[in-house]
Amino acid sequence: MHIPLLFEKSRSGRKGYVLPKLDLPEKDITELIPERFLRGEPASLPELSEGEVVRHFTNLSQLNYHVDKGLYPLGSCTMKYNPKVNETAANIAGFRDAHPLQPETRSQGALQLMHELQELLAAITGFDAVSLQPAAGAQGELTGVLIMKAYLAAAGLSGKHKILIPDSAHGTNPASVAIAGLTPVEVKSNSDGMVDIDDLRKNMDDAVAGMMITNPNTLGIFERNIATIAELVHDAGGLMYLDGANLNAQMGIVQPGRIGFDVMHINLHKTFSTPHGGGGPGSGPVAVSEQLAPFLPVPVVIKEGERYRLDYNRRQSIGKVHSFYGNFGIFVRAFTYIRMNGAKGLRRVSEDAVLNANYLLSRLKGAYKLPFPETPMHEFVLSGDYQKEKGVKTMDIAKRLLDYGFHAPTIYFPLIVHEALMIEPTETETREALDAFADAMLAISREADENPDLVREAPHSTPVKRLNDALAARRLNIVYKEEEREHDG
Ligand SMILES: *Cc1c(COP(=O)(O)O)cnc(C)c1O
């Protein structure tokens, strides 16, 4: 299917905009801007009417799958519905048009929102201090590990360099540790899908700087031995880092700061309903205990009397990790979501997320293999092993789901499960939507028995068939060239 580009639709002289009148004399501009920055001729841009542009992008958005179109059960990603009131709040002129170089005296509202968001996140997680700066979960991990490293260095323990990470972990965990200059060390899972305590003890020595762990873990299973794990790590002089990507399972139920963790990150774009996918923008605030607070990135938003201020005067800070103060528009959306829900509402969010996952699991576990029978929290992991015996791989099941009108779950992750299908429905789906998804999964399992080629050749109904994902990522070509268009006809 050929989807015409805006360039191909362009007709010389067609217009969809009116520029504001120039508010400087033209000669001043040519004097103010150095010659080398002035264009010799107009840029070659597509020329279209407003209506054509709106139709073009509306049509494109309908070819794509997104959370406003249907259930998006991508495990670990928490693809919940993004309430539109968040957008209304982010679009308030004082927030939307704020300039990062505006003086503090003229940014009091924005600073107040940031300060209150810091306090709300501290209350939800049970920690003492928060930095909103990191732009994503992965950057939160890096920031958190740099804070741990700075704390240990200040305590004269720079020799500690190992960070223990369970084998079920997200790939960003070992990557963040390595980028921070520490050594990731893998710890095995046991047959219940939890940390193998014997293997943990085996890896414990004086070089351990800490442990980075996801809880509930990437199998959706709550680490029942978390208190023991924290004790072992602390006894070795290490710190406990929580990968907080799965906070959606525990709001109002468990405060990570009170069950042995010293530092965590929060993915505002997952738990707190801000749009994500397609590369961002995200936000990965870091929450820490009192002893780690002096090491947070600068600036920290503080309140003095009735005024809010950016505090740069923090001797032990690890420095800045983002330009200006982080992704402010995301803060407004997350703040709105938290305040709209309130404490009781957030607890309900987590309870419903867990309920929805368990309901869906109860419908699927006969037809699909359940590798770890432990009751999961907000997500669960199945294996496509039964279907693979019939020649249908998990990748085929994922592609076939597109024909049924659903985005696929996360597949082939976590790495410790064969042919993994990681499913997280979130709390924002209705019983009917969950049933429709379960029906599709069960139908595909039957097709694997009766007509495996139908599944192997899927998708049949999408504008493009199977892509070479690896090649597309490595040789991404998004530059329009007129010559190529002529060649393509
Ligand atoms: C999403 C996720 C991350 C990384 O977060 P980003 O915001 O995508 O950088 C890390 N760990 C887990 C378990 C995740 O699900």
Side-chain angles (χ1 to χ4, degrees):
M1 177 172 165
H2 177 70
I3 298 149
L5 300 166
L6 278 182
F7 282 99
E8 293 165 1
K9 293 183 176 173
S10 173
R11 293 294 174 270
S12 174
R14 218 167 261 179
K15 269 206 174 77
Y17 63 90
V18 181
L19 287 180
K21 273 224 175 70
L22 208 56
D23 58 358
L24 281 173
E26 209 155 321
K27 84 166 188 352
D28 283 6
I29 296 182
T30 45
E31 276 165 18
L32 286 170
I33 303 176
E35 180 76 31
R36 65 181 192 283
F37 293 134
L38 290 172
R39 250 184 202 291
E41 50 191 80
S44 166
L45 295 173
E47 298 176 67
L48 297 103
S49 69
E50 180 177 312
E52 288 176 286
V53 174
V54 168
R55 283 186 184 162
H56 177 77
F57 285 108
T58 303
N59 283 325
L60 277 188
S61 79
Q62 288 169 356
L63 294 177
N64 206 351
Y65 196 94
H66 45 84
V67 77
D68 282 351
K69 197 162 160 176
L71 184 143
Y72 208 128
L74 208 53
S76 210
C77 294
T78 314
M79 303 300 287
K80 61 172 74 178
Y81 174 72
N82 311 136
K84 296 299 168 256
V85 64
N86 296 351
E87 302 307 309
T88 308
N91 207 22
I92 293 171
F95 290 143
R96 185 194 59 212
D97 300 337
H99 193 284
L101 292 177
Q102 221 164 271
E104 282 169 6
T105 50
R106 308 205 47 182
S107 310
Q108 286 296 303
L111 291 174
Q112 179 177 358
L113 181 134
M114 289 169 73
H115 189 263
E116 289 187 16
L117 180 59
Q118 286 173 185
E119 299 211 315
L120 289 167
L121 295 174
I124 292 167
T125 58
F127 280 104
D128 299 305
V130 171
S131 166
L132 301 174
Q133 236 179 83
Q139 202 194 6
E141 291 168 21
L142 176 61
T143 304
V145 176
L146 289 173
I147 289 171
M148 289 163 70
K149 197 177 164 187
Y151 169 82
L152 291 170
L157 297 168
S158 305
K160 287 185 162 298
H161 65 97
K162 289 191 203 167
I163 302 280
L164 307 173
I165 302 176
D167 56 8
S168 57
H170 195 271
T172 52
N173 290 186
S176 302
V177 167
I179 292 172
L182 299 180
T183 316
V185 176
E186 190 172 279
V187 179
K188 288 196 185 71
S189 299
N190 62 23
S191 55
D192 293 330
M194 298 182 222
V195 170
D196 182 330
I197 302 288
D198 291 334
D199 196 52
L200 179 65
R201 281 184 208 275
K202 246 184 259 162
N203 279 295
M204 203 58 77
D205 60 32
D206 285 346
V208 169
M211 180 159 194
M212 180 179 265
I213 183 169
T214 310
N215 194 29
N217 64 25
T218 59
L219 297 163
I221 296 172
F222 193 87
E223 292 284 350
R224 219 180 305 123
N225 299 316
I226 195 64
T228 309
I229 295 169
E231 198 178 308
L232 284 169
V233 172
H234 286 146
D235 284 352
L239 296 165
M240 286 289 285
Y241 184 100
L242 175 69
D243 176 335
N246 291 340
L247 187 59
N248 212 46
Q250 42 195 316
M251 287 184 291
I253 302 168
V254 179
Q255 287 178 302
R258 303 209 173 182
I259 58 168
F261 289 101
D262 302 291
V263 44
M264 74 178 286
H265 77 259
I266 301 149
N267 303 61
L268 296 188
H269 46 286
K270 294 180 180 172
T271 315
F272 298 106
S273 83
T274 74
H276 64 301
S283 181
V286 169
V288 296
S289 62
E290 203 170 2
Q291 57 175 356
L292 296 183
F295 303 93
L296 285 175
V298 282
V300 173
V301 184
I302 58 172
K303 186 177 184 190
E304 285 172 346
E306 287 311 302
R307 309 296 291 171
Y308 297 90
R309 182 165 86 67
L310 293 164
D311 185 16
Y312 283 91
N313 186 18
R314 299 171 78 93
R315 200 173 42 81
Q316 292 183 295
S317 166
I318 61 163
K320 258 174 138 344
V321 299
H322 194 286
S323 56
F324 299 112
Y325 321 109
N327 283 330
F328 180 73
I330 301 298
F331 306 160
V332 181
R333 290 173 175 87
F335 177 84
T336 306
Y337 178 78
I338 293 172
R339 294 298 303 270
M340 292 290 290
N341 273 293
K344 276 196 191 134
L346 290 179
R347 184 184 169 109
R348 179 86 194 271
V349 162
S350 289
E351 287 171 348
D352 286 353
V354 173
L355 179 66
N356 277 1
N358 278 279
Y359 174 69
L360 200 49
L361 173 60
S362 75
R363 288 217 47 203
L364 296 179
K365 70 181 172 192
Y368 290 87
K369 181 168 159 187
L370 178 64
F372 296 101
E374 197 74 24
T375 303
M377 300 289 125
H378 67 304
E379 67 188 354
F380 56 95
V381 178
L382 300 171
S383 159
D385 270 355
Y386 298 159
Q387 288 71 22
K388 185 141 191 221
E389 281 167 23
K390 292 155 193 152
V392 168
K393 296 200 275 286
T394 282
M395 175 63 89
D396 304 324
I397 297 168
K399 295 295 181 191
R400 183 69 179 137
L401 271 170
L402 295 171
D403 289 333
Y404 282 92
F406 290 104
H407 195 280
T410 297
I411 54 173
Y412 299 109
F413 177 78
L415 304 177
I416 57 171
V417 173
H418 254 211
E419 296 292 312
L421 286 148
M422 184 194 214
I423 302 175
E424 179 182 8
T426 83
E427 72 286 356
T428 57
E429 296 304 326
T430 61
R431 163 102 189 249
E432 294 75 24
L434 298 173
D435 278 331
F437 178 73
D439 290 345
M441 288 287 289
L442 297 175
I444 294 170
S445 175
R446 280 193 302 276
E447 288 169 354
D449 279 332
E450 295 157 9
N451 188 1
D453 278 345
L454 180 69
V455 186
R456 274 200 294 261
E457 284 157 22
H460 303 275
S461 62
T462 53
V464 284
K465 303 297 169 207
R466 293 205 192 191
L467 294 172
N468 184 337
D469 297 332
L471 194 68
R474 256 186 254 127
R475 291 212 222 130
L476 185 65
N477 178 6
I478 49 170
V479 179
Y480 175 75
K481 293 211 186 76
E482 196 113 21
E483 314 84 72
E484 283 179 18
R485 173 182 141 196
E486 279 154 18
H487 281 298
D488 291 349

